Amino acid sequence: MRRHIITITAIALLAVGCSSSNGEPDAKPATTEATVEAAAEPSESTKVKLSTEWVPKLEAALDKTEDDICAEVGSPKCVKFITDLTSVVYDVGTAIEDAGAEVDYPRSMKDVEAVEKASAAYVAAECKGSTELTLGDSVCAGYTAELMVRPATLQMNLGTDELTAG
C-alpha cells in the first residue's frame, strides 16, 4: 500500500513539474496536490482493520475452555469463563466504536449487542450459582450457550466485515 502511495505521489509530482510548456509551473498545482493528498490517505474503511488485533484475543479467550466447563451454567468455572469471554467481546465493541467504524462492522456489532443482551439476561435471571445444565431447556442454559458461542461468531465476522466494508 505504501509503495502505491509513493508511486502515485511521484507520478503526480512529475506531472506537475513537466506539465508547463514555458518552464513555469502549471496554473493548477494546488488541485493536483490536493488530489495526491486525497489519494495518499486511505479511506475510512481501509484505515480500520481490527481483526488483526482482536481475532487472536478472542481466540485466546476461547481456547481457555475445558471439557464441560459450563456443564452447570452457574458453576464458578463457567461464570469465570463466560465473564472473561464477555469482557473481550465488550472490548471489541469499544474498539469498533472508538474507531468510528460501526458502519464497517455491522455483523460484528450485532454479535457484540447479542452478547450484551445475553449477559444482562444471565444476570437478571440470577443464573450465577445455578446447577442447571447447559444443554437443558432453561433460560439460563440458553443465555450461557449464547455467551459461549457468540464470541466465536464474532471472531469470524470481524474478518467478514472487513472483506465487505467499503
Side-chain angles (χ1 to χ4, degrees):
M1 180 70 155
R2 202 167 254 177
R3 288 181 192 169
H4 295 289
I5 293 169
I6 292 169
T7 303
I8 290 169
T9 304
I11 291 170
L13 290 174
L14 284 173
V16 169
C18 298
S19 64
S20 176
S21 59
N22 62 1
E24 293 180 23
D26 192 6
K28 298 180 184 178
T31 304
T32 305
E33 288 174 15
T35 304
V36 171
E37 286 178 23
E41 289 184 27
S43 69
E44 285 299 316
S45 62
T46 59
K47 277 186 189 178
V48 179
K49 189 160 185 168
L50 298 171
S51 65
T52 306
E53 177 180 355
W54 291 102
V55 166
K57 290 180 180 183
L58 286 163
E59 212 168 79
L62 288 162
D63 283 347
K64 291 181 182 174
T65 188
E66 53 191 69
D67 290 341
D68 299 327
I69 194 165
C70 286
E72 290 183 5
V73 299
S75 70
K77 285 171 36 172
C78 181
V79 170
K80 178 169 178 16
F81 176 66
I82 61 175
T83 299
D84 291 347
L85 280 176
T86 300
S87 177
V88 175
V89 170
Y90 288 171
D91 290 345
V92 171
T94 300
I96 292 170
E97 290 170 354
D98 287 350
E102 295 93 330
V103 172
D104 292 333
Y105 289 90
R107 293 170 192 85
S108 300
M109 289 306 293
K110 284 182 183 175
D111 292 332
V112 171
E113 290 167 9
V115 168
E116 289 172 347
K117 287 179 185 176
S119 179
Y122 180 93
V123 171
E126 298 178 353
C127 297
K128 182 179 177 179
S130 171
T131 57
E132 296 173 1
L133 301 179
T134 304
L135 297 176
D137 289 333
S138 73
V139 293
C140 289
Y143 302 143
T144 303
E146 181 76 4
L147 293 169
M148 291 176 68
V149 173
R150 192 59 80 141
T153 305
L154 173 60
Q155 183 181 5
M156 291 183 292
N157 281 335
L158 280 168
T160 302
D161 284 340
E162 289 170 355
L163 290 173
T164 59

